[in-house]
Amino acid sequence: MKRHALFICYSLFISINAIGQELPKILTQKLMTNYLPDFSYAGYHFGESQLPEANGKIINAVDFGVKANDVLDDSKALLKAVKAANAVEGNVILQLPAGKIILSDIVYIERSNFVLRGTGTGENGTEIYFPRPMMYLQNPESLAELREYLTTFDKRQREPENNIDLPFSQYAWSGGFIWTQIPGERVKSYLDKYEPTPSFLAKVSSGNMGENTLTVSEVKGLKVGDIVELQLFNKDGENGEIIKDLYKGANVKPGSHHWKFPKLPIVRQQVEITKISGSKITIKTPLTIAIKPSYQAQLVEWKHLNEVGIEHIRFTFPDIPRVAHHVEPGNNAIFLTRVFNSWVKDVTITNADSGILCEEISNVTIQDIVTDGSHMAHYTVTLGGVHNVLVKNLKIYNKSVHPLSFNTFATKNVYQNCEIFADPVLDQHSGANHQNLFDNITVHLMPDINNSYALFGGGGADYWKPSHGPFSTFWNLTVQVTNPEKITKPVLLYGMKDGPFARIVGVNGNAKFEVKYEPDAYIEFLNTSMDKVPSLYEYQLKKRLK
């Protein structure tokens, strides 16, 4: 396919019988030019286990003074219940009552084997109502570095046309009223001077993209079953070999953050050790890029929580006026950091600035989520700095700047069976994020006056461009346009100019479509129903588990 080409297909819809006779060529032709990552390792226990019906000692919040529907603040009582739950050895469930609970403080979950459970999201379920945003709380200690970064670099939202010149909020992309963390453990890097010396476990000299074997030396105490972090660095400046390898020689211009922070790993994966044999280590999941000696790759300790669950709860915020992008006051529901093999399920979030924010997590499933309300959100469920996270059955009814978003350092994550009802954008937010999957997504949109729609978003700052690395994948994208009977020619779906080597397989809906995605996108099954393989994630998972 020619570079910057506009892929146009005017063919008639292929019948269901014809679809049953073929698979997309990208599944059947094992060519490097058609490379397709294996996304099947995303989710709770690598997708190999269903989300649990957790059991353990139940701590009832009502026993500590939480009283629903009394119009009084329940924060102090709920924090007492959390403290009691933390004292339990083994699995513990903090059970919330049905009805409306009022919370005006942060609930930190700081231990493994902990489930925060309500009674459901329906009329007789549990609602947590937040009367005021996080900006009115005491500054969280764990965001001190972020606050210093924002002031040091004078990060401001400047919109002269709207008379806006305001400092960024620390809650624009961080923090939440329900917050998983390891106390004192740094989650995200902002300033070099705070970069810690990691707990070194092994040097890694080689490994092939898509494979599971590493060549290592200087191994210190590694054992099978360990969950560790693999880190790759660019120590060679603007022309570092890893930058070329990461973007596979694409016609894009990497931003300065790719070389200005040599202490910061530019690629990282949380991995499970499955075999150790001399200088060879086998990990559970495939490498996203090849490892070479110049990358100074290493395995380091990764501190995390296990088996944390948040389930059967509705989170509600007042519909406050929106001022501007990046100055959100902190009506954020959930902030997931440092969790592995954990989940969020059956949650509805109304009028949030950001519904669920994720950072430095791996193998988490976020399932059966609804975001709604009249408030314009920044994020709904966003994936930044995370690996192998599965977001499944997310329905977005509210307007959002970034409805679905793969953010900085996100790798091998999946949005599956999600639906966006208002102003859809499929965003990839710069920052060396690569090999993520939009899988079986449905969007509802109204074409503009030019019979086109900017569906493919590339957010993020210029210093972290391009918008994504190679092999980001869109599989079975269903587009429902408003008033299809008025559409007389193909609708152009566009928006991405710096997303190299994307895989776009199966764009179809209630009209015909053209796709413009630059540079060098692989496009197949345009205006063709994907009945045989509606979900790439499920297809790859079933194939792997056979």
Side-chain angles (χ1 to χ4, degrees):
M1 183 169 297
K2 293 182 179 180
R3 192 179 297 265
H4 308 304
L6 176 64
F7 189 97
I8 305 174
C9 178
Y10 295 99
S11 62
L12 294 175
F13 289 95
I14 297 177
S15 70
I16 291 177
N17 288 335
I19 294 298
Q21 296 171 2
E22 63 177 294
L23 289 172
K25 292 179 181 178
I26 200 166
L27 293 180
T28 58
Q29 297 180 354
K30 302 300 181 183
L31 303 175
M32 193 59 203
T33 54
N34 289 352
Y35 182 80
L36 185 67
D38 184 353
F39 296 102
S40 69
Y41 294 88
Y44 180 74
H45 285 270
F46 301 97
E48 297 166 8
S49 301
Q50 297 295 315
L51 294 187
E53 292 300 326
N55 51 49
K57 182 175 177 59
I58 295 176
I59 299 294
N60 283 298
V62 294
D63 294 339
F64 297 86
V66 173
K67 187 175 181 181
N69 301 324
D70 65 351
V71 200
L72 297 176
D73 194 289
D74 296 284
S75 301
K76 291 181 179 179
L78 184 53
L79 292 177
K80 287 180 182 177
V82 171
K83 186 176 181 180
N86 286 339
V88 173
E89 293 187 9
N91 298 341
V92 64
I93 299 166
L94 178 54
Q95 181 64 56
L96 304 176
K100 186 175 184 177
I101 299 167
I102 298 175
L103 180 61
S104 58
D105 208 343
I106 297 171
V107 172
Y108 290 103
I109 298 175
E110 300 177 332
R111 56 156 288 179
S112 296
N113 306 108
F114 185 108
V115 176
L116 179 66
R117 176 183 291 170
T119 62
T121 59
E123 186 176 341
N124 297 317
T126 298
E127 176 188 359
I128 302 181
Y129 176 74
F130 307 93
R132 51 188 176 272
M134 299 177 74
M135 66 179 289
Y136 295 113
L137 306 182
Q138 184 176 351
N139 280 330
E141 182 180 348
S142 54
L143 296 186
E145 183 182 348
L146 170 57
R147 292 192 296 273
E148 183 177 344
Y149 163 80
L150 294 177
T151 55
T152 298
F153 291 94
D154 191 28
K155 303 292 284 186
R156 303 179 70 86
Q157 185 69 16
R158 295 180 173 92
E159 302 175 18
E161 70 279 11
N162 293 320
N163 195 30
I164 288 173
D165 186 350
L166 296 169
F168 277 16
S169 164
Q170 64 184 319
Y171 300 117
W173 58 80
S174 297
F177 278 97
I178 309 299
W179 187 327
T180 68
Q181 69 169 10
I182 295 178
E185 193 64 29
R186 185 169 180 252
V187 171
K188 189 169 182 176
S189 303
Y190 289 102
L191 298 170
D192 258 0
K193 65 181 181 180
Y194 295 117
E195 201 67 36
T197 300
S199 299
F200 172 82
L201 299 172
K203 287 187 176 180
V204 183
S205 59
S206 66
N208 297 322
M209 183 180 72
E211 297 183 4
N212 302 60
T213 302
L214 312 175
T215 303
V216 299
S217 62
E218 301 182 31
V219 178
K220 298 181 179 179
L222 275 178
K223 61 183 184 299
V224 171
D226 284 349
I227 309 298
V228 298
E229 184 167 273
L230 171 65
Q231 300 179 338
L232 284 65
F233 297 86
N234 177 27
K235 305 280 188 178
D236 298 322
E238 186 171 356
N239 297 314
E241 186 177 12
I242 193 171
I243 300 178
K244 299 174 184 177
D245 195 19
L246 184 60
Y247 296 107
K248 299 291 184 289
N251 185 25
V252 293
K253 184 179 180 181
S256 61
H257 273 36
H258 286 82
W259 62 84
K260 281 194 172 181
F261 300 92
K263 294 181 181 179
L264 181 69
I266 196 170
V267 176
R268 75 277 303 271
Q269 292 180 241
Q270 290 77 39
V271 300
E272 179 180 343
I273 307 296
T274 60
K275 183 179 179 181
I276 300 175
S277 179
S279 64
K280 300 294 183 181
I281 286 181
T282 303
I283 59 176
K284 177 85 173 177
T285 51
L287 294 171
T288 64
I289 73 168
I291 298 174
K292 299 176 182 178
S294 64
Y295 304 166
Q296 299 187 33
Q298 60 186 18
L299 296 174
V300 301
E301 181 183 9
W302 184 57
K303 295 180 180 178
H304 60 277
L305 307 174
N306 291 289
E307 304 295 338
V308 172
I310 301 169
E311 58 189 38
H312 312 313
I313 306 171
R314 181 172 194 129
F315 298 95
T316 306
F317 298 89
D319 181 13
I320 62 175
R322 180 177 184 268
V323 176
H325 195 39
H326 292 129
V327 300
E328 293 83 4
N331 277 337
N332 302 340
I334 299 173
F335 188 34
L336 297 177
T337 77
R338 295 280 176 175
V339 289
F340 178 78
N341 282 347
S342 297
W343 70 91
V344 179
K345 68 177 179 181
D346 184 27
V347 165
T348 295
I349 304 169
T350 302
N351 286 331
D353 288 329
S354 290
I356 302 176
L357 298 168
C358 304
E359 194 77 51
E360 193 76 11
I361 69 174
S362 180
N363 290 99
V364 171
T365 293
I366 301 171
Q367 179 175 314
D368 301 329
I369 310 297
V370 172
T371 69
D372 60 16
S374 53
H375 182 69
M376 176 76 170
H378 187 177
Y379 294 108
T380 60
V381 178
T382 188
L383 303 176
V386 304
H387 182 62
N388 276 342
V389 175
L390 172 65
V391 180
K392 184 177 181 179
N393 303 339
L394 165 64
K395 293 191 180 298
I396 301 170
Y397 294 96
N398 56 307
K399 292 185 179 182
S400 173
V401 179
H402 309 297
L404 300 181
S405 182
F406 294 118
N407 220 298
T408 308
F409 298 135
T411 54
K412 283 293 188 76
N413 305 291
V414 179
Y415 286 110
Q416 185 203 20
N417 298 348
C418 301
E419 189 165 9
I420 311 173
F421 292 89
D423 296 348
V425 179
L426 305 180
D427 176 58
Q428 297 178 86
H429 214 67
S430 308
N433 54 304
H434 57 282
Q435 295 188 26
N436 297 293
L437 169 64
F438 294 98
D439 186 37
N440 196 23
I441 306 297
T442 299
V443 299
H444 300 258
L445 58 84
M446 178 181 291
D448 62 23
I449 194 171
N450 297 314
N451 199 44
S452 60
Y453 188 90
L455 180 61
F456 305 109
D462 288 345
Y463 50 67
W464 261 134
K465 288 292 184 180
S467 294
H468 66 76
F471 314 130
S472 290
T473 301
F474 301 80
W475 190 274
N476 193 20
L477 174 59
T478 300
V479 182
Q480 299 294 325
V481 301
T482 304
N483 300 323
E485 69 280 358
K486 297 182 180 180
I487 303 296
T488 59
K489 61 180 181 178
V491 177
L492 174 63
L493 304 176
Y494 72 102
M496 182 61 68
K497 295 184 177 181
D498 63 342
F501 305 119
R503 278 75 182 95
I504 304 172
V505 182
V507 178
N508 62 94
N510 61 353
K512 291 184 180 180
F513 301 97
E514 303 169 358
V515 171
K516 185 177 183 180
Y517 199 108
E518 300 173 314
D520 300 307
Y522 174 97
I523 303 177
E524 188 183 3
F525 269 51
L526 182 59
N527 294 317
T528 302
S529 177
M530 295 288 290
D531 295 335
K532 191 163 186 178
V533 187
S535 166
L536 177 62
Y537 172 77
E538 295 292 346
Y539 174 86
Q540 291 180 327
L541 181 63
K542 289 177 182 177
K543 187 175 180 180
R544 175 167 66 87
L545 296 183
K546 277 186 179 180

